[in-house]
Amino acid sequence: MTRSLQDPLLQVNGLAKHFDGLTALSSIHFNVYPQDVLGIVGPNGAGKSTLFHLITGYLSSSEGEILFQGQHIHNWRPDRRVHAGIERTFQKTRLFHNLTVEHNVRLGTHLQQRGGLRRLLLGTPRREQQSLEAHIEHVLNITGLLQRRGELAGQLSFGFQRRLEVAVALGSRPKLLLLDEPFAGQSPQSVDQMGQLIKRLSGEEITIMLIEHRMESIVAYCNRLFVLRHGRLVIPKERTDAARV
């Protein structure tokens, strides 16, 4: 079935998460549309990371449902969601510090594809290898890491490590990319560079969700903003002509 830009890419309906009597999220409803840059802001402990864990399958929901491209995915494992087109970064970078920038991207690309480890060990058919090399080159270029491809990840500044984590996530060619506090701990210059990267990725027709605890960090880079407080979506603030929730 052909889907249009008016069809939600991701649908979250009545999502809730309880931990031993503590409610982390309650009755969360929203849609994410193709080419959205959706920001979710809220104080620490509001439930932002829990929401990301539920969408990506690292936690199971207590109530509600999640649909991606019209398919129910709330019972899918994280790797199946990656293969479907959902990828994420984390608050703390997860890089191989003793490997080069290019090898981090290359390893991430292989491991996030079906049969990735087997292909990494046994080799990839020539045509696929050519496509893979072109994709790695493109990822390095769009993230501004092309000139640093031979540097060790552990020797990069924190801002470049953040960009490298995005580059590794792009290896699986995601349709929906979730960025967990991408601006945290960065200098004003690095924040702006990350913001410009987010805009470039949106231009590549990648749909983006990002979470932050400060609205001023993301307001310039999002077309829609939601606010989470005490596990509830309390202030949907639309920045588009059409009111889409």
Side-chain angles (χ1 to χ4, degrees), residues 33-153:
Y33 295 87
Q35 301 179 33
D36 261 349
V37 181
L38 172 61
I40 299 177
V41 296
N44 292 331
K48 303 185 304 297
S49 291
T50 299
L51 177 61
F52 267 25
H53 290 332
L54 295 177
I55 293 172
T56 54
Y58 287 87
L59 287 175
S60 58
S61 59
S62 302
E63 301 170 22
E65 61 180 8
I66 304 171
L67 288 83
F68 183 69
Q69 294 185 308
Q71 296 187 76
H72 291 267
I73 67 167
H74 47 282
N75 292 323
W76 289 11
R77 290 171 28 149
D79 59 337
R80 186 176 178 187
R81 301 186 196 206
V82 169
H83 295 144
I86 301 174
E87 186 55 280
R88 68 168 297 176
T89 65
F90 293 83
Q91 285 183 352
K92 296 182 179 180
T93 58
R94 299 186 175 189
L95 301 172
F96 294 95
H97 285 198
N98 292 326
L99 295 181
T100 66
V101 167
E102 180 176 345
H103 277 101
N104 268 272
V105 175
R106 187 176 298 277
L107 185 60
T109 300
H110 279 290
L111 293 179
Q112 294 175 71
Q113 294 177 335
R114 293 190 185 277
L117 184 57
R118 178 183 60 80
R119 287 168 179 259
L120 183 63
L121 295 174
L122 301 179
T124 305
R126 182 176 180 180
R127 183 173 296 179
E128 289 187 32
Q129 186 64 34
Q130 291 174 340
S131 175
L132 177 63
E133 295 300 325
H135 179 58
I136 291 172
E137 199 81 4
H138 177 66
V139 167
L140 290 170
N141 185 52
I142 196 172
T143 55
L145 294 169
L146 195 60
Q147 303 304 316
R148 297 177 179 267
R149 64 192 310 164
E151 297 182 25
L152 294 179

